[in-house]
Each structure stands twice: as structure tokens, then as C-alpha cells.
Amino acid sequence: MSAEYATFGLAPAIRAGGVLANGDYQVHRDFVDFIVDGRPLLFQLSDLDAVSPLASDVPPAIFTAHVQSLLLEADAPLPDGRYVIYGCPECESLACGAVTAAISSDGPDFIWRDFAWQTDEHVDLELNGYHGIGPFRFQGAEYRAALASLLDEAPAVGRRRVLLIGARVALLAKLAAALRTIGIGADITRDADGVPADELKAYGAVAFGRAVTEEERAAVRSAFDRAGVEVAYVDGLAPIVPLLVAQIEHALDRSPVQQRRLTRLVAADGEAGVEVTSPCRVRLTAYRLDRLYRTHAHEVFDGVLEAGRHRIALDAKAVKGESFVVARTSGSVLVEAMAR
């Protein structure tokens, strides 16, 4: 089969978890994405909330089996030599739908072709095929080296544990519970003094409440510096659990910046400025605190945006007073305070 050569690589990616405005939870998933010709393959497909089979939370034996399968060292899991490329982030059921492709070898090369949306063992390429995507021919040495590297060491994903530091214990307890629900570990403390370095290495981020003083923040940073641990620091914008979860999700994102879908969020003068690198669904949620410090949440936009920069008008009531905007795609989250 003739097909132009394409480059093949791998990169860490996430399915962003979160607490949605309607109260639903979205589970956080770390996975390894396929980079074809320098771009995530997921971005070349229709906007999907999906992850590759190379997820960090699958058992090691299953992860290894997925890698060996992509290397054609095991039988194809589906008829006609088809393999799951992206599947449901919540479960592994084919019934939820999956992106599949036929993978074959041609001499030393590997070819991915006939991409399709599949919900059972057999697929109708005419009806459900991704026409115009592929076929891709990958040089064998590059392809094998990228996948074999996953068997030599664990995938390079972020540490999914957060240290919460603040004065409002009840709020921190609710935040920790929300984070654990979406798959992110969380511990609560007032400071990091005396915590062994091995324990500090488990954290990928530290979140400070607004009441934590600058002196206390500096002491925590010093403790992590002494332990030689690099973490992301989050300054909580407001005592709003979904907002704080979104800030922490952004801080834990270790995917390469140039390969993210959502790259910019500006909130000012009753508008949100959003930039995306490929067509995708974007949801904007506004949170605000009223005079009695009660939280109000409003879904202010939910739609598919084309690649580029966009200006979106926001409901004046939704961003009145002290307010914040969360922009979310399936793989990215950004948070901004509304500038006045």
C-alpha cells in the first residue's frame, strides 16, 4: 500500500478532570498520546473526549500488552486487524465508542489506515470511517523506538497528588474530597516542616489558601527546595471548590505547551478571550461571590470553536462583582479572574 511517510512520536497528555457547574464530576486521566507529524493525532479527529490505551492508571501487565499489540507482537483485539487508538475515558467498553484503525507492517514500516468510529466488533468504513485521515506510514525504527521506550521505564506523567495548605479546614476537606473523586490524591496540612523528603516527592502541586501568609508560603517552598522536589504552586483565587479544582488541574498538566488545544484565556470588560489550536468544544463557566460570600455558577458558553482566537461576550449578571472564568476542553483547563 502506498502512503506518505509520517513522523511518529509520543507525548504525555491528560483528560482534564473537574467538578462541573451542574455538580457532575469528570475523572482525571493521564495517558500517552500519539504525535503524528508533530501534532497530537487526537486533534486531527473530530472533537472527542477520549484517551489512548496507554494510560498511566492501567495495570502494568495490561499497559505492556497494549504496547506489544501496537508493535504487532500480539494478535489484533478486533477483527480485520483493527486496534483501539482512542477509547472512552471512563471505562474500556467498546459500546461507548472508540476510534480504531487497521495496523499492519510493510517490510520494516508500520502502516495505520482505515480510521473509524466503532461501537461493536465490526465496523462500516463507508458509514463510520474517518475519511481523509491517513493512511500513515511510519518508519519502523522510529516507531519501534518510541513504543519500546514505554517498556523500559514508566510513562512520563505528572504526580497526581496535591498538598493543600490553608486556614479553612472545612473548605480544604471539601476540596480534598472533590479531588479524590476525580482521581487526584490530596492531603491537608498547615505547613511542610518535618515532612520527610520521600513524602514530598509524591506531590505534583501545592495549593495555598488565600489566608496563608507570604512567610508561610516561603517556608513551604523552602521545604520542597531542600528536598529537591519541583512542584507547581497554586494560589487559590477564591474559596470555591470547582474553581480550585480547575486551578489544580491546570497546574498538574505536564503535556507540552505547544501540543495543547486550549492555549489562552483572558477575562475582562465583560468578555472572554479564548485561543484554541484546533477545532474543539469549549465550555466557559463563570463563578462569582456575592456580598455574603455565597457562590454562584453560570454556564456562559458551550460550543465548538474553530482554530484561532475568539471573543465571547459574557452575561453581565454572571460576572458581577468578584468573579472568575474557567475555560475547559476535554484535555485542558484555564482559569482567570475577571479583570475590572
Side-chain angles (χ1 to χ4, degrees), residues 159-190:
R159 301 183 297 278
R160 288 192 302 165
R161 196 163 196 85
V162 182
L163 188 62
L164 307 178
I165 299 177
R168 299 179 62 176
V169 177
L171 173 68
L172 295 179
K174 291 180 181 178
L175 176 57
L179 290 168
R180 291 166 188 153
T181 298
I182 67 172
I184 297 174
D187 297 306
I188 300 171
T189 186
R190 185 60 193 180

Short mmCIF file of all heavy atoms in Angstrom, two decimals, residues 159-190:
data_model
loop_
_atom_site.label_atom_id
_atom_site.label_comp_id
_atom_site.label_asym_id
_atom_site.label_seq_id
_atom_site.Cartn_x
_atom_site.Cartn_y
_atom_site.Cartn_z
N ARG A 159 2.83 13.77 38.77
CA ARG A 159 2.48 13.17 40.06
C ARG A 159 1.09 13.65 40.44
O ARG A 159 0.86 14.83 40.65
CB ARG A 159 3.52 13.58 41.11
CG ARG A 159 4.93 13.14 40.74
CD ARG A 159 5.94 13.50 41.85
NE ARG A 159 6.06 14.94 42.06
CZ ARG A 159 6.81 15.74 41.33
NH1 ARG A 159 7.51 15.25 40.34
NH2 ARG A 159 6.89 17.03 41.58
N ARG A 160 0.15 12.73 40.55
CA ARG A 160 -1.25 13.09 40.77
C ARG A 160 -1.57 13.14 42.26
O ARG A 160 -2.44 12.45 42.76
CB ARG A 160 -2.17 12.10 40.05
CG ARG A 160 -2.16 12.26 38.55
CD ARG A 160 -3.28 11.46 37.93
NE ARG A 160 -3.19 10.05 38.28
CZ ARG A 160 -4.18 9.19 38.10
NH1 ARG A 160 -5.34 9.60 37.65
NH2 ARG A 160 -4.04 7.92 38.40
N ARG A 161 -0.84 13.98 42.97
CA ARG A 161 -1.13 14.18 44.39
C ARG A 161 -0.87 15.64 44.71
O ARG A 161 0.10 16.23 44.23
CB ARG A 161 -0.28 13.26 45.26
CG ARG A 161 -0.79 13.14 46.68
CD ARG A 161 -0.22 11.94 47.42
NE ARG A 161 -1.01 11.66 48.62
CZ ARG A 161 -2.10 10.93 48.63
NH1 ARG A 161 -2.53 10.39 47.50
NH2 ARG A 161 -2.79 10.72 49.73
N VAL A 162 -1.75 16.22 45.55
CA VAL A 162 -1.68 17.65 45.83
C VAL A 162 -1.65 17.86 47.34
O VAL A 162 -2.37 17.18 48.09
CB VAL A 162 -2.91 18.38 45.24
CG1 VAL A 162 -2.82 19.87 45.49
CG2 VAL A 162 -3.02 18.10 43.75
N LEU A 163 -0.81 18.80 47.78
CA LEU A 163 -0.76 19.19 49.19
C LEU A 163 -1.57 20.47 49.35
O LEU A 163 -1.28 21.48 48.69
CB LEU A 163 0.68 19.41 49.63
CG LEU A 163 0.92 19.63 51.13
CD1 LEU A 163 0.48 18.40 51.92
CD2 LEU A 163 2.38 19.95 51.41
N LEU A 164 -2.59 20.43 50.19
CA LEU A 164 -3.47 21.58 50.40
C LEU A 164 -3.10 22.28 51.70
O LEU A 164 -3.07 21.65 52.76
CB LEU A 164 -4.93 21.12 50.45
CG LEU A 164 -5.41 20.26 49.28
CD1 LEU A 164 -6.86 19.84 49.50
CD2 LEU A 164 -5.27 21.01 47.96
N ILE A 165 -2.85 23.58 51.64
CA ILE A 165 -2.42 24.34 52.81
C ILE A 165 -3.33 25.56 52.95
O ILE A 165 -3.47 26.36 52.02
CB ILE A 165 -0.95 24.79 52.68
CG1 ILE A 165 -0.05 23.56 52.56
CG2 ILE A 165 -0.54 25.66 53.86
CD1 ILE A 165 1.41 23.88 52.36
N GLY A 166 -3.97 25.67 54.10
CA GLY A 166 -4.86 26.81 54.31
C GLY A 166 -5.42 26.81 55.72
O GLY A 166 -5.17 25.91 56.51
N ALA A 167 -6.22 27.85 56.01
CA ALA A 167 -6.77 28.02 57.35
C ALA A 167 -8.18 27.48 57.48
O ALA A 167 -8.63 27.15 58.58
CB ALA A 167 -6.74 29.51 57.72
N ARG A 168 -8.89 27.36 56.36
CA ARG A 168 -10.29 26.94 56.40
C ARG A 168 -10.36 25.42 56.21
O ARG A 168 -10.43 24.92 55.09
CB ARG A 168 -11.09 27.68 55.33
CG ARG A 168 -11.08 29.19 55.52
CD ARG A 168 -11.86 29.91 54.45
NE ARG A 168 -13.28 29.52 54.47
CZ ARG A 168 -14.19 30.07 53.68
NH1 ARG A 168 -13.85 31.05 52.84
NH2 ARG A 168 -15.45 29.68 53.73
N VAL A 169 -10.34 24.71 57.33
CA VAL A 169 -10.27 23.25 57.29
C VAL A 169 -11.48 22.65 56.58
O VAL A 169 -11.36 21.69 55.81
CB VAL A 169 -10.14 22.68 58.72
CG1 VAL A 169 -10.14 21.16 58.68
CG2 VAL A 169 -8.87 23.20 59.37
N ALA A 170 -12.67 23.20 56.83
CA ALA A 170 -13.88 22.66 56.21
C ALA A 170 -13.81 22.77 54.69
O ALA A 170 -14.17 21.83 53.96
CB ALA A 170 -15.11 23.38 56.75
N LEU A 171 -13.34 23.92 54.19
CA LEU A 171 -13.20 24.10 52.75
C LEU A 171 -12.17 23.13 52.18
O LEU A 171 -12.39 22.51 51.14
CB LEU A 171 -12.80 25.54 52.44
CG LEU A 171 -12.46 25.82 50.97
CD1 LEU A 171 -13.70 25.69 50.10
CD2 LEU A 171 -11.82 27.20 50.82
N LEU A 172 -11.03 23.00 52.89
CA LEU A 172 -9.99 22.10 52.41
C LEU A 172 -10.47 20.66 52.37
O LEU A 172 -10.12 19.90 51.46
CB LEU A 172 -8.75 22.21 53.29
CG LEU A 172 -8.02 23.57 53.28
CD1 LEU A 172 -6.82 23.54 54.21
CD2 LEU A 172 -7.59 23.93 51.86
N ALA A 173 -11.30 20.28 53.35
CA ALA A 173 -11.84 18.92 53.37
C ALA A 173 -12.75 18.68 52.16
O ALA A 173 -12.71 17.62 51.53
CB ALA A 173 -12.60 18.67 54.66
N LYS A 174 -13.58 19.67 51.81
CA LYS A 174 -14.44 19.54 50.63
C LYS A 174 -13.61 19.49 49.35
O LYS A 174 -13.91 18.71 48.43
CB LYS A 174 -15.41 20.72 50.57
CG LYS A 174 -16.47 20.73 51.66
CD LYS A 174 -17.38 21.93 51.53
CE LYS A 174 -18.43 21.96 52.65
NZ LYS A 174 -19.29 23.16 52.54
N LEU A 175 -12.56 20.31 49.30
CA LEU A 175 -11.69 20.32 48.13
C LEU A 175 -10.98 18.98 47.99
O LEU A 175 -10.90 18.42 46.87
CB LEU A 175 -10.69 21.46 48.24
CG LEU A 175 -9.62 21.56 47.15
CD1 LEU A 175 -10.26 21.67 45.77
CD2 LEU A 175 -8.70 22.74 47.40
N ALA A 176 -10.45 18.46 49.08
CA ALA A 176 -9.76 17.16 49.04
C ALA A 176 -10.70 16.06 48.58
O ALA A 176 -10.33 15.19 47.78
CB ALA A 176 -9.18 16.83 50.41
N ALA A 177 -11.94 16.08 49.07
CA ALA A 177 -12.92 15.06 48.68
C ALA A 177 -13.22 15.15 47.19
O ALA A 177 -13.33 14.12 46.50
CB ALA A 177 -14.19 15.23 49.50
N ALA A 178 -13.36 16.37 46.67
CA ALA A 178 -13.64 16.55 45.25
C ALA A 178 -12.48 16.05 44.40
O ALA A 178 -12.68 15.38 43.38
CB ALA A 178 -13.92 18.02 44.95
N LEU A 179 -11.25 16.37 44.82
CA LEU A 179 -10.08 15.93 44.07
C LEU A 179 -9.97 14.40 44.06
O LEU A 179 -9.68 13.80 43.02
CB LEU A 179 -8.81 16.54 44.67
CG LEU A 179 -8.64 18.05 44.46
CD1 LEU A 179 -7.52 18.59 45.33
CD2 LEU A 179 -8.36 18.36 42.99
N ARG A 180 -10.21 13.79 45.21
CA ARG A 180 -10.13 12.33 45.27
C ARG A 180 -11.19 11.68 44.39
O ARG A 180 -10.95 10.63 43.78
CB ARG A 180 -10.25 11.87 46.72
CG ARG A 180 -9.06 12.25 47.59
CD ARG A 180 -9.35 12.09 49.06
NE ARG A 180 -8.28 12.63 49.90
CZ ARG A 180 -8.44 13.09 51.12
NH1 ARG A 180 -9.66 13.08 51.67
NH2 ARG A 180 -7.41 13.56 51.80
N THR A 181 -12.35 12.31 44.30
CA THR A 181 -13.44 11.76 43.48
C THR A 181 -13.04 11.71 42.01
O THR A 181 -13.42 10.78 41.29
CB THR A 181 -14.71 12.60 43.66
OG1 THR A 181 -15.12 12.54 45.03
CG2 THR A 181 -15.84 12.08 42.78
N ILE A 182 -12.28 12.69 41.54
CA ILE A 182 -11.89 12.71 40.13
C ILE A 182 -10.55 12.03 39.88
O ILE A 182 -10.04 12.06 38.77
CB ILE A 182 -11.87 14.15 39.57
CG1 ILE A 182 -10.75 14.98 40.21
CG2 ILE A 182 -13.21 14.82 39.75
CD1 ILE A 182 -10.57 16.35 39.55
N GLY A 183 -9.97 11.42 40.92
CA GLY A 183 -8.76 10.63 40.73
C GLY A 183 -7.47 11.31 41.08
O GLY A 183 -6.39 10.85 40.68
N ILE A 184 -7.52 12.40 41.85
CA ILE A 184 -6.31 13.11 42.27
C ILE A 184 -6.20 13.00 43.79
O ILE A 184 -7.11 13.38 44.52
CB ILE A 184 -6.36 14.59 41.85
CG1 ILE A 184 -6.40 14.70 40.32
CG2 ILE A 184 -5.15 15.35 42.39
CD1 ILE A 184 -6.59 16.11 39.82
N GLY A 185 -5.07 12.50 44.27
CA GLY A 185 -4.86 12.38 45.71
C GLY A 185 -4.66 13.75 46.33
O GLY A 185 -4.13 14.67 45.71
N ALA A 186 -5.07 13.91 47.58
CA ALA A 186 -4.95 15.20 48.26
C ALA A 186 -4.74 15.00 49.74
O ALA A 186 -5.38 14.14 50.36
CB ALA A 186 -6.19 16.05 48.01
N ASP A 187 -3.82 15.79 50.31
CA ASP A 187 -3.57 15.79 51.74
C ASP A 187 -3.64 17.22 52.25
O ASP A 187 -3.32 18.17 51.53
CB ASP A 187 -2.18 15.20 52.05
CG ASP A 187 -2.07 13.75 51.62
OD1 ASP A 187 -2.92 12.94 52.03
OD2 ASP A 187 -1.14 13.42 50.85
N ILE A 188 -4.04 17.36 53.51
CA ILE A 188 -4.21 18.68 54.12
C ILE A 188 -3.19 18.87 55.22
O ILE A 188 -2.96 17.97 56.04
CB ILE A 188 -5.63 18.82 54.70
CG1 ILE A 188 -6.67 18.64 53.59
CG2 ILE A 188 -5.81 20.17 55.39
CD1 ILE A 188 -8.09 18.54 54.12
N THR A 189 -2.55 20.03 55.26
CA THR A 189 -1.61 20.34 56.33
C THR A 189 -1.56 21.86 56.51
O THR A 189 -2.11 22.61 55.70
CB THR A 189 -0.20 19.81 56.02
OG1 THR A 189 0.66 20.01 57.14
CG2 THR A 189 0.40 20.51 54.82
N ARG A 190 -0.92 22.30 57.57
CA ARG A 190 -0.75 23.74 57.78
C ARG A 190 0.62 24.19 57.31
O ARG A 190 0.81 25.34 56.91
CB ARG A 190 -0.92 24.08 59.26
CG ARG A 190 -0.89 25.56 59.58
CD ARG A 190 -2.01 26.32 58.87
NE ARG A 190 -1.81 27.77 58.92
CZ ARG A 190 -2.61 28.66 58.40
NH1 ARG A 190 -3.69 28.27 57.75
NH2 ARG A 190 -2.36 29.95 58.49
#
